[in-house]
Amino acid sequence: MITTRFAPSPSGYLHRGHAYSALTAAKAARDSRFILRIEDIDTARCRPEFEAAISEDLAWLGLRWETPVRRQSDHMDDYQAALERLRAEGLVYRCFKTRAELMDDSARAPHGPVPAYVGSALPAPEEARRLAAGDPFAWRLSIGAAKARLGTGFDQIEFVEEGAGPNGEHGRLSAAPEAAGDVILARKGLGVAYHLAVVVDDALQGVNLVVRGADLFDAVAVQRLLQTLLDLPAPAYRHHPILLGPDGKRYAKRDQAETLRALRAKGMVPARLRAELGFG
Ligand code: GLU
């Protein structure tokens, strides 16, 4: 049985690009399970009216999904438990670097792309002092600790790409998580970050085929590493091309004119939009 999901963040109204992604995921599920998941861990950007609009717009488009819908902000305990497990195994550390300090570090690096961050925990007395002072910090996954824990298995983490990455990547691929460096898994006060919430949810919901835009292709590396460290099953991936507008640019949440509700207000009917997106 195939289980796919569409996992939007309610930080704006859905546009044509979202419609294309949701239709692609629903079609990939065929007659099996299609799940809608509300990714609202970034509470500062997410709003209830956008969440309500997501269901309304997708139903208008003709989609049906399993209920109840999982809303990430209702399940922070699940993500905390996963973080706690990684912490108990010494795989994460508190990073107190501010954005300005991180920028400064990368400015000192040789020219070329900004290198991924790799660091380590502060010495215990300094960490205790910073904690006592209430300084903000992020929990980062230590790529070095992950490597030590998995041994030769670290370089053997793979995934199956059924669609294509931005450079045509397809088939059985090496995840190569080292390039991502020590990614942030949680922030003080903001619970959990995207990667950890996604792998926990995909596993809990039995998602075995992740269908999403090719802009998230690079996320697979970190997500496969987390799945391996947390003993979670590996879904297959099917990244689809990003839908571009007539101007050759991708649709963005800030383009009000192309939201599904704006199209609807202009008289668009769902069958025509589906046909325009190739789902006629
Ligand atoms: N919530 C993410 C987004 O809005 C998608 C996450 C995913 O599909 O893995 O782009």
Side-chain angles (χ1 to χ4, degrees):
M1 182 162 76
I2 296 172
T3 302
T4 69
R5 76 325 192 262
F6 176 56
S9 294
S11 55
Y13 291 120
L14 299 185
H15 50 61
R16 270 178 197 266
H18 293 113
Y20 177 73
S21 200
L23 287 164
T24 305
K27 190 176 174 189
R30 285 188 242 127
D31 294 326
S32 298
R33 299 176 66 215
F34 173 59
I35 285 171
L36 169 65
R37 184 165 73 223
I38 301 296
E39 302 213 325
D40 64 342
I41 43 176
D42 186 353
T43 45
R45 289 173 55 236
C46 295
R47 300 222 300 258
E49 62 266 35
F50 293 137
E51 182 182 326
I54 287 171
S55 299
E56 205 181 294
D57 291 348
L58 294 178
W60 171 79
L61 203 55
L63 291 171
R64 298 287 173 270
W65 52 90
E66 258 188 35
T67 52
V69 170
R70 186 173 170 94
R71 183 190 295 119
Q72 289 188 325
S73 61
D74 291 339
H75 298 278
M76 297 312 267
D77 289 355
D78 290 335
Y79 316 131
Q80 282 306 324
L83 182 67
E84 194 45 53
R85 181 168 159 188
L86 297 171
R87 192 179 152 187
E89 294 190 37
L91 295 167
V92 294
Y93 64 92
R94 289 187 188 90
C95 173
F96 288 87
K97 291 230 175 194
T98 60
R99 188 178 289 268
E101 284 169 330
L102 292 170
M103 295 299 283
D104 202 42
D105 283 353
S106 64
R108 272 201 298 273
H111 294 291
V114 178
Y117 180 80
V118 178
S120 57
L122 291 173
E126 195 182 342
E127 180 170 281
R129 189 182 57 73
R130 303 282 305 253
L131 284 174
D135 290 350
F137 62 85
W139 285 106
R140 285 187 187 264
L141 176 67
S142 164
I143 201 81
K147 217 169 159 174
R149 147 91 197 274
L150 297 174
T152 53
F154 182 86
D155 293 317
Q156 288 160 11
I157 305 175
E158 295 183 330
F159 66 103
V160 174
E161 174 58 61
E162 295 183 2
N167 298 308
E169 299 92 334
H170 175 82
R172 184 169 286 278
L173 302 168
S174 170
E178 187 137 26
D182 295 353
V183 293
I184 291 178
L185 297 187
R187 285 180 201 277
K188 183 192 170 201
L190 192 67
V192 70
Y194 160 70
H195 290 300
L196 191 56
V198 163
V199 298
V200 167
D201 286 350
D202 283 341
L204 274 172
Q205 297 190 287
V207 172
N208 53 16
L209 179 59
V210 171
V211 180
R212 62 186 178 195
D215 55 334
L216 285 166
F217 180 77
D218 287 347
V220 180
V222 177
Q223 294 177 7
R224 282 293 299 117
L225 174 60
L226 287 172
Q227 287 155 357
T228 307
L229 293 170
L230 292 166
D231 299 314
L232 303 175
Y237 292 85
R238 194 180 292 174
H239 291 89
H240 61 73
I242 298 295
L243 190 74
L244 301 178
D247 58 358
K249 291 204 196 111
R250 53 183 297 184
Y251 293 101
K253 282 186 175 154
R254 57 184 179 277
D255 300 337
Q256 295 305 318
E258 290 293 334
T259 61
L260 300 186
R261 45 200 44 220
L263 294 174
R264 187 153 84 228
K266 280 190 284 186
M268 173 66 88
V269 292
R272 194 171 116 220
L273 180 59
R274 280 202 305 273
E276 281 181 18
L277 295 172
F279 296 86

